[in-house]
Amino acid sequence: MTKSPLQFAVRLFGGMLLVVMSLSFKASAQNVYNFTSGLSIRVSANYNRAAFYQDALAYALYTATVKTPAEGATLGTNPDQKWTKVTADTAKKFRLRGGEGSYLYFGYDSPKEQVAILNFSGNSAVFVNGQPHMGDPYSFGWMNIVVKLKKGRNDFFARGRVVQGSLTFPDKPVLLDVRDATRPIIPAGSGTAKMKVGVVVINTTALRLTNLQIVSTLGGKQARSTLQAIPAYATRKVYFDIDGTTIQGKGMNDCALELQQNGKLIDRATLKIEGVTKGDKYSETFVSAIDGSLQYYSVAPQVGGQVDGAALFFSVHGAGVEAINQVRAYKSKDWGNLVSPTNRRPRGFNWEDWGRLDALEVLAIAKNEFKPDPQHIYLTGHSMGGHGTWFLGATYPDKWAVIAPCSGYPTLKTYGSADGIIPDTSSTAFGKLLLSASNQSDVPKLAQNYKQVAVHILHGDADETVPVMFARQMKQLLAGFHADFQYYEYPGGSHWWSDEAVDFQPIFDMFKRHTIPKDNDINVIDFTTASPGISASNHWATIYQQVVPFLYSRIQLKRNNKSSTISGTSENVELLKLKLSGFDKGRTVNVMLDDLAAIKYTTLSNNDSIYLKKADKEWKLVDQPDLHDKGPHRNGSFKEGFNKNLLYVYATGGTVQEQQWAIGKARYDSESWYYRGNGAFDIISDKEYSKAKYPGRNVVLIGNANTNAAWKTLLSDCPVSVANGSIKVGTKQFTGTDLAAYFVWPMAGTADNTIAVIAGTGIEGMNAANANQYFTGGSGFADIMVFRLGMLKDGINQVVHASFYDNQWKVQ
């Protein structure tokens, strides 16, 4: 039986446990200190796929009520939450009982103020002297955190179940780390002189480094590149050029790297670059428009070489699988190219949020590179990629001729893997609203979108990882309305029984029999979306604006060219765009919607588009809306700000503690973004920012109106204001220093850029905003969310406001 490319990880985010570790003082030659004993505790914590969270230990840290742990002592007044002594096993790992509430503590007495590199694995986060940092929940081993130790006692609290950790005291101020490289796999003779590779640079200095270069040497040919800026006391995955023209055969090739500053060597490393025979599977790298970081995709090229107009097979991988291993599970096809995006990481975002955007980026690249027949594009995927197939198929039904989910689950509301499920929070008004922001993830609610797409469902009937009940659920759902789907349960099939778990001949036979109809051949549309900002269009119809944001919007339309009519119904649609390319110039088209008065329009060309707005139980013909208004180009929610070459702008004003929080928050988010999404973004201070200097970029602003000097530049027209001691949302005002806010706002003077704001009214509120739940795939965020620090203790009951703007960005 062929070995699965999947590497399944146990769930590392479940109830909570903590260990006090005393540092082992046996230093290796590299000045590495391993943690060998400590204390653990289990506390109340919940970090599921939701905007809000709970964490009793974090609450105690932020309110300065946690004492230095001692064996037998309690956290607060709860007698059941006691510190227990634990020791590492022979593998230097702490194996703790419990789940998401499992914490580990250790203290380290530093003889002086100094910088160290902290490496934990098996933990989902770690607090260092109260400052949160990203963990390594999947135990990859390469997640290094630069920490500035103070003289004397330093406290470390790590959240996780199977934890291993160390401190390294580096002998160089700036270092290369090539363990998590992003690199191409190059077919013989296909390399170019400027192929891009990404590696991590570790900056242990107090300076933001903007003048570093990497000189790469591969096969005797050099390439020199200036690197992206690396923040102080931080790491960043940077990209640079290599000359791939020397790759002429199969095998691993040494690429020497020299890290230089002003021509002076400061570190060196050797990276392996793989070459493959021409026609074998390979990987390409590209710079993402999401954040300007380097990503990759993999290809199983068409047998015999590329032919324009061939098919394109788009395959999305499962959890723990690299894209290159996904394509290697397939035999190359003689009638098309197979392409696999990455979801930003082997686990990434479950093909939602930035996983979805990665898929769309790679799909566009693949169309441009391989020039497939636009009617012959097909979607498939396995496990988490099976979910990706269900999700991308329902979200963009006009992009695929056939979808083929294999061993997949339909929605994160019932199957959540490591980050848990999207919890049902509909018991409160704010909880119901926040839950609605995850509606696009609920694939069964979008099932009618599959009508226009052929579907092949494949699942092993003995699958214990993703139970076959999920496939049967979707089969039953489709059977009620779908005229063109196939279903097969592989007898005795586990989650991965062989390469046939993805490379299943009946799937490709079904692909070959189907094509995507051209727009002018589509006369019936039945389309549902939860957000035009995620998915707005289906062939010639676009849901441009909703009545109620993020509730399901549906159009059911029929077009009759002979009678020159478009008729149908709508649900939760305020503004509709119709392309009239199916009607000749000079035709009078009658549009009849929702049994209301018909609208007549005489076409001025063969490619007209019209906008129809519903108000007061009447549809009216209107002009194209102002780009400032909400629409597919810019629609919210808060998470929308983390896109379009995003730029973090942190506050430099306020108290010393508030200043440290702002830059610390930016570092924490950059660590999390790197770990979750293989990403990197620029971080600058408020004093450096101007729209002219950073045009066309979304901004993530950290601070408030009193502490961040860029606030007035970016948010002077915003109805939401956060200042010391108070938050205003329209006419509502909330007071206290414990308030935090997340909100989004359109950037004035731009067509589609936004500002995402992370703010607090004081250090308590700022700390409340620390947890970056917005980077969790499928988590639902409104346009505006205001909450108190008490949310960490009491959950959603401490959310004091959540709402969406209307379509003109006015507070509702």
Side-chain angles (χ1 to χ4, degrees), residues 471-767:
R472 293 171 182 171
Q473 170 196 352
M474 294 305 291
K475 173 189 176 184
Q476 182 178 3
L477 184 60
L478 292 178
F481 66 87
H482 205 292
D484 190 8
F485 80 93
Q486 292 179 210
Y487 180 89
Y488 185 73
E489 287 185 17
Y490 194 91
S494 60
H495 194 57
W496 181 273
W497 59 89
S498 73
D499 285 351
E500 278 198 329
V502 291
D503 196 8
F504 191 56
Q505 189 57 45
I507 288 176
F508 285 87
D509 291 342
M510 192 176 194
F511 286 174
K512 189 166 282 191
R513 296 194 301 269
H514 290 79
T515 59
I516 303 172
K518 296 180 179 179
D519 282 3
N520 286 351
D521 294 330
I522 294 288
N523 291 315
V524 177
I525 286 179
D526 187 347
F527 176 63
T528 300
T529 184
S531 168
I534 297 174
S535 172
S537 299
N538 190 315
H539 292 289
W540 42 265
T542 298
I543 298 174
Y544 201 93
Q545 292 177 351
Q546 299 176 289
V547 178
V548 181
F550 284 87
L551 295 188
Y552 296 104
S553 298
R554 185 179 183 184
I555 50 175
Q556 294 175 276
L557 305 176
K558 291 183 179 180
R559 181 176 65 181
N560 189 313
N561 287 332
K562 290 184 178 180
S563 62
S564 299
T565 60
I566 296 175
S567 61
T569 61
S570 70
E571 301 171 30
N572 193 37
V573 179
E574 182 171 303
L575 188 63
L576 181 66
K577 178 184 177 182
L578 300 175
K579 291 193 296 184
L580 303 180
S581 55
F583 300 98
D584 295 333
K585 178 181 178 181
R587 293 274 292 275
T588 298
V589 180
N590 291 281
V591 182
M592 296 168 286
L593 299 173
D594 302 326
D595 294 324
L596 300 176
I599 295 172
K600 296 181 182 294
Y601 176 82
T602 301
T603 58
L604 302 176
S605 71
N606 294 329
N607 196 33
D608 281 6
S609 292
I610 60 173
Y611 293 84
L612 306 172
K613 185 171 184 176
K614 189 176 185 180
D616 300 323
K617 297 183 179 180
E618 180 182 8
W619 283 98
K620 293 182 179 180
L621 192 65
V622 296
D623 293 334
Q624 180 175 341
D626 192 295
L627 285 175
H628 174 270
D629 293 353
K630 281 190 173 183
H633 60 293
R634 183 169 57 188
N635 194 67
S637 63
F638 171 70
K639 295 170 83 167
E640 188 178 62
F642 300 86
N643 195 1
K644 297 174 184 173
N645 201 10
L646 68 114
L647 172 71
Y648 264 60
V649 179
Y650 66 88
T652 58
T655 67
V656 172
Q657 197 175 13
E658 290 169 344
Q659 293 170 15
Q660 291 173 344
W661 169 81
I663 184 60
K665 173 60 176 164
R667 288 195 192 102
Y668 177 39
D669 277 14
S670 71
E671 294 161 5
S672 303
W673 183 247
Y674 162 63
Y675 189 86
R676 286 186 172 273
N678 193 31
F681 48 71
D682 290 327
I683 299 173
I684 64 169
S685 73
D686 50 2
K687 296 176 181 178
E688 297 175 85
Y689 178 76
S690 72
K691 287 183 180 180
K693 189 175 180 181
Y694 297 97
R697 300 181 68 170
N698 285 4
V699 168
V700 180
L701 185 146
I702 301 176
N704 66 32
N706 298 112
T707 65
N708 194 303
W711 189 284
K712 187 175 181 180
T713 299
L714 291 168
L715 297 164
S716 60
D717 59 340
C718 181
V720 182
S721 179
V722 183
N724 292 338
S726 70
I727 294 178
K728 289 184 179 180
V729 181
T731 59
K732 294 182 180 180
Q733 183 166 354
F734 309 93
T735 60
T737 58
D738 62 338
L739 288 161
Y742 301 137
F743 65 93
V744 68
W745 186 246
M747 188 181 294
T750 70
D752 59 3
N753 289 122
T754 58
I755 307 129
V757 181
I758 302 168
T761 56
I763 194 61
E764 299 98 328
M766 292 171 182
N767 281 330

Side-chain angles (χ1 to χ4, degrees), residues 373-378 400-402 452-454 510-518:
D373 184 328
Q375 272 64 61
H376 288 267
I377 300 177
Y378 308 91
W400 326 105
V402 184
Q452 68 193 69
V453 183
M510 192 176 194
F511 286 174
K512 189 166 282 191
R513 296 194 301 269
H514 290 79
T515 59
I516 303 172
K518 296 180 179 179

Side-chain angles (χ1 to χ4, degrees), residues 56-77:
L57 189 280
Y59 180 79
L61 285 172
Y62 295 151
T63 56
T65 57
V66 62
K67 298 178 180 179
T68 300
E71 186 176 3
T74 62
L75 181 69
T77 59

Side-chain angles (χ1 to χ4, degrees), residues 328-569:
R328 284 172 174 168
Y330 291 88
K331 294 181 176 66
S332 292
K333 311 304 176 187
D334 61 5
W335 60 290
N337 297 282
L338 186 142
V339 174
S340 180
T342 66
N343 184 39
R344 281 296 190 113
R345 280 287 190 193
R347 290 185 177 272
F349 305 100
N350 301 82
W351 297 107
E352 303 198 20
D353 296 311
W354 301 276
R356 168 182 64 86
L357 294 175
D358 176 71
L360 293 179
E361 275 196 306
V362 174
L363 180 62
I365 291 170
K367 287 180 178 180
N368 182 65
E369 181 176 350
F370 299 112
K371 298 175 176 56
D373 184 328
Q375 272 64 61
H376 288 267
I377 300 177
Y378 308 91
L379 173 65
T380 186
H382 179 266
S383 190
M384 180 182 74
H387 166 66
T389 302
W390 283 121
F391 175 76
L392 295 169
T395 303
Y396 307 108
D398 58 352
K399 294 186 182 297
W400 326 105
V402 184
I403 66 168
C406 307
S407 305
Y409 51 91
T411 173
L412 292 173
K413 290 187 176 181
T414 56
Y415 186 97
S417 66
D419 281 321
I421 65 171
I422 297 172
D424 184 357
T425 58
S426 58
S427 59
T428 69
F430 289 146
K432 186 175 182 179
L433 183 141
L434 292 169
L435 183 63
S436 73
S438 294
N439 275 342
Q440 194 70 25
S441 178
D442 200 348
V443 164
K445 299 289 180 59
L446 307 174
Q448 294 292 327
N449 289 356
Y450 298 129
K451 281 181 179 178
Q452 68 193 69
V453 183
V455 180
H456 190 296
I457 304 172
L458 175 64
H459 215 111
D461 67 4
D463 191 337
E464 295 183 356
T465 304
V466 179
V468 71
M469 70 174 184
F470 290 113
R472 293 171 182 171
Q473 170 196 352
M474 294 305 291
K475 173 189 176 184
Q476 182 178 3
L477 184 60
L478 292 178
F481 66 87
H482 205 292
D484 190 8
F485 80 93
Q486 292 179 210
Y487 180 89
Y488 185 73
E489 287 185 17
Y490 194 91
S494 60
H495 194 57
W496 181 273
W497 59 89
S498 73
D499 285 351
E500 278 198 329
V502 291
D503 196 8
F504 191 56
Q505 189 57 45
I507 288 176
F508 285 87
D509 291 342
M510 192 176 194
F511 286 174
K512 189 166 282 191
R513 296 194 301 269
H514 290 79
T515 59
I516 303 172
K518 296 180 179 179
D519 282 3
N520 286 351
D521 294 330
I522 294 288
N523 291 315
V524 177
I525 286 179
D526 187 347
F527 176 63
T528 300
T529 184
S531 168
I534 297 174
S535 172
S537 299
N538 190 315
H539 292 289
W540 42 265
T542 298
I543 298 174
Y544 201 93
Q545 292 177 351
Q546 299 176 289
V547 178
V548 181
F550 284 87
L551 295 188
Y552 296 104
S553 298
R554 185 179 183 184
I555 50 175
Q556 294 175 276
L557 305 176
K558 291 183 179 180
R559 181 176 65 181
N560 189 313
N561 287 332
K562 290 184 178 180
S563 62
S564 299
T565 60
I566 296 175
S567 61
T569 61

